[in-house]
């Protein structure tokens, strides 16, 4: 009686295991979740490789116009578009599949089965096997699969499939190409904003000595270039604007700030320090390519902004600010004067006046910027106070 019960129990356990085993489904991925599409056309297939060590499954998307394409064509085009992926094969059969992005180094070496959308073994070698719209091509070996039918060597791959992120390089600009440099000093950074409507990226150069944050740099650029402005809210920058009278760009949303290496800044813009050589770039995900989770790059080519000076020839000829260097007083000789502003090198305003004679008592000795506003023009120049 005990033996019979034990046998029935073991048979029951085997039955449950068999039911669960055969109930397992081949892991897949929705085409909507694919992040890296290669090729163009109305037809789409998904290409997946499951590596055994470590157990990792990665997927690409492939688009084409022909009714059928070979698996070899799909793999060759993916290898051409993605330098991380490669493979070797001969006589219609693969021997190795690789993925190496500098962090992951995946290698699949051995005897493999290739799967189409139904999970059935492909009938031809990869050079002859064709696929059509909607198919899934999946590679792996028995070490990363579960056998479901030993008689037909049928395996399924249960490892969750992850979408491969596209390759993309952060668009840069050489400092030698910058047209408009703001500030003075031995240190240089490039400041760039990528607007998404239209998709355009503009860059300024900023020179400085001493300690600056992104905020004080942006304040200085805003004070010197009246085409540029920005707005802030409870969580930081909420809008960045460029308006030269002919074009109006506005970037509204949640932003990521990048330094020279393209990595997200760890501090808010009011605390993030800048150092010589930094490439500081603003934009949102609508004008970026996601290359890893929460990691974006801006691929729009960067163009330098033009030098800004909207003082016409007559006003430029009649404007006079003296003496410079100044001590206790500064005189402004210009028609239709509206306001005079003096900023320190950190972009902070230290004095505002509507008079043509400005008392400098209380202004510490140093280098400043003086901005003169009239009814029709704005002029900024360097001011030395002794």
């Amino acid at each position: 009686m005990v033996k019979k019960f034990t046998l029935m129990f073991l048979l029951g356990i085997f039955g449950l295991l068999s039911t669960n085993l055969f109930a397992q489904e081949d892991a897949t991925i929705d085409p909507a979740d694919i992040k890296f599409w290669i090729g163009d056309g109305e037809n789409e297939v998904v290409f997946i490789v499951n590596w055994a060590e470590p157990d990792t499954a990665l997927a690409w998307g492939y688009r084409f116009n022909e009714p059928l394409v070979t698996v070899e064509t799909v793999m060759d085009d993916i290898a051409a578009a993605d330098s991380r992926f490669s493979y070797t094969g001969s006589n219609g059969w693969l021997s190795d599949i690789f993925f190496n992005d500098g962090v992951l180094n995946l290698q699949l070496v051995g005897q493999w089965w290739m799967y189409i959308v139904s999970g059935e073994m492909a009938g031809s070698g990869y050079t002859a096997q064709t696929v059509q719209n909607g198919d899934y091509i999946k590679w792996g070996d028995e070490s990363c699969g579960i056998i479901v039918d030993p008689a037909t060597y049928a395996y399924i791959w249960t490892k969750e499939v992850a979408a491969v992120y596209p390759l993309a390089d952060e668009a840069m600009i050489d400092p030698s190409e910058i047209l408009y440099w703001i500030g003075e000093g031995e240190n240089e950074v490039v400041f760039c904003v990528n607007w998404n409507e239209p998709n355009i990226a503009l860059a300024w150069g900023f020179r400085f000595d001493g300690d600056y944050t992104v905020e004080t740099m942006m304040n200085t650029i805003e004070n010197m270039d009246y085409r540029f402005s920005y707005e802030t809210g409870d969580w930081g920058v909420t809008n960045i604007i460029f308006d030269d009278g002919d074009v109006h760009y506005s970037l509204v949303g949640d932003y990521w700030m990048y330094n020279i290496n393209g990595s997200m800044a760890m501090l808010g813009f009011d605390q993030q320090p800048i150092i010589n050589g930094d490439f500081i770039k603003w934009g949102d995900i609508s004008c970026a390519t996601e290359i890893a989770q929460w990691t974006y790059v801006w691929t729009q080519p960067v163009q330098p902004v033009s030098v800004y000076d909207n003082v016409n020839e007559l006003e430029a000829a009649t404007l006079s600010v003296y003496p410079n260097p100044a001590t206790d007083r500064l005189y402004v000789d210009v028609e239709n004067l509206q306001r005079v502003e003096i900023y320190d090198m950190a972009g902070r305003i230290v004095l505002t006046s509507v008079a043509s004679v400005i008392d400098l008592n209380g202004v510490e000795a140093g280098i400043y910027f003086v901005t003169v506003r009239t009814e029709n023009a704005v002029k900024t120049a360097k001011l030395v106070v002794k």
Side-chain angles (χ1 to χ4, degrees):
M1 185 69 177
V2 173
K3 290 183 178 179
K4 183 177 180 180
F5 175 79
T6 303
L7 179 60
M8 292 177 65
F9 176 77
L10 291 175
L11 289 173
I13 293 296
F14 177 77
L16 289 173
L17 290 174
S18 299
T19 300
N20 289 335
L21 181 65
F22 283 90
Q24 300 226 38
E25 295 182 356
D26 206 36
T28 187
I29 186 172
D30 192 298
D33 295 327
I34 296 293
K35 299 181 181 298
F36 191 4
W37 285 96
I38 295 161
D40 296 304
E42 296 181 356
N43 299 318
E44 296 181 349
V45 298
V46 174
F47 176 78
I48 303 171
V49 179
N50 193 323
W51 283 272
E53 296 179 1
D55 194 10
T56 304
L58 301 178
W60 292 256
Y62 184 77
R63 293 190 173 110
F64 56 100
N65 279 316
E66 300 81 359
L68 299 172
V69 294
T70 65
V71 172
E72 181 182 36
T73 298
V74 174
M75 296 178 69
D76 285 347
D77 287 350
I78 292 175
D82 190 344
S83 59
R84 299 165 297 185
F85 173 80
S86 61
Y87 74 94
T88 57
S90 62
N91 299 321
W93 298 101
L94 293 183
S95 56
D96 310 282
I97 306 180
F98 306 101
F99 182 87
N100 191 334
D101 64 359
V103 177
L104 285 176
N105 186 11
L106 306 175
Q107 303 181 50
L108 186 61
V109 180
Q111 298 295 317
W112 306 332
W113 289 258
M114 182 183 70
Y115 285 77
I116 309 300
V117 65
S118 63
E120 297 178 356
M121 190 183 301
S124 304
Y126 79 102
T127 57
Q129 181 67 49
T130 58
V131 291
Q132 61 186 347
N133 183 49
D135 278 351
Y136 281 70
I137 306 163
K138 193 167 186 180
W139 289 90
D141 70 9
E142 66 273 15
S143 63
C144 54
I146 297 175
I147 190 167
V148 294
D149 189 352
T152 60
Y153 298 98
Y155 285 77
I156 61 172
W157 278 247
T158 58
K159 178 65 180 178
E160 182 181 357
V161 180
V164 174
Y165 286 89
L167 286 170
D169 293 324
E170 183 82 11
M172 307 287 281
I173 186 172
D174 192 280
S176 64
E177 299 175 9
I178 295 294
L179 301 177
Y180 189 15
W181 285 95
I182 293 172
E184 295 184 354
E186 297 182 357
N187 300 312
E188 293 183 349
V189 300
V190 173
F191 174 73
C192 176
V193 179
N194 195 326
W195 285 273
N196 61 330
E197 293 181 1
N199 195 13
I200 188 169
L202 301 178
W204 292 256
F206 183 68
R207 294 190 175 108
F208 63 102
D209 288 321
D211 296 329
Y212 272 79
T213 64
V214 172
E215 181 185 35
T216 53
M217 176 202 65
M218 291 174 65
N219 289 343
T220 304
I221 294 175
E222 184 178 36
N223 294 331
M224 294 291 293
D225 188 342
Y226 290 90
R227 300 168 298 184
F228 172 81
S229 62
Y230 71 96
E231 300 168 356
T232 59
D234 294 337
W235 302 101
V237 175
T238 59
N239 195 7
I240 305 179
I241 301 165
F242 182 86
D243 192 336
D244 65 1
D246 294 321
V247 298
H248 179 84
Y249 307 139
S250 181
L251 184 65
V252 180
D254 296 324
Y255 310 145
W256 287 260
M257 182 179 69
Y258 285 79
N259 281 342
I260 189 169
N261 60 357
S263 297
M264 189 186 302
M266 294 295 101
L267 300 174
F269 87 113
D270 57 335
Q271 301 178 52
Q272 179 68 43
I274 61 174
I275 61 174
N276 185 47
D278 273 356
F279 190 91
I280 302 160
K281 196 168 189 181
W282 289 87
D284 70 8
I285 59 175
S286 63
C287 53
T289 298
E290 187 177 17
I291 61 169
Q293 188 173 21
W294 301 111
T295 303
Y296 297 84
V297 299
W298 278 244
T299 56
Q300 176 68 21
V302 180
Q303 57 182 293
V305 298
S306 60
V307 176
Y308 176 72
D309 189 346
N310 71 343
V311 180
N312 61 38
E313 294 181 2
L314 177 61
E315 288 176 316
T318 58
L319 172 64
S320 178
V321 178
Y322 62 93
N324 193 2
T327 52
D328 55 347
R329 285 185 177 83
L330 180 70
Y331 298 89
V332 178
D333 185 7
V334 67
E335 294 182 0
N336 302 317
L337 175 65
Q338 288 191 331
R339 188 166 74 254
V340 178
E341 300 161 344
I342 297 178
Y343 299 88
D344 64 15
M345 294 295 289
R348 296 180 293 258
I349 191 164
V350 298
L351 188 151
T352 299
S353 176
V354 295
S356 59
V357 179
I358 301 168
D359 186 356
L360 296 178
N361 289 320
V363 178
E364 297 181 358
I367 299 176
Y368 298 87
F369 293 107
V370 56
T371 298
V372 178
R373 300 174 183 266
T374 69
E375 290 182 358
N376 302 311
V378 178
K379 178 68 176 181
T380 300
K382 185 175 73 173
L383 171 68
V384 178
V385 177
K386 291 186 175 181

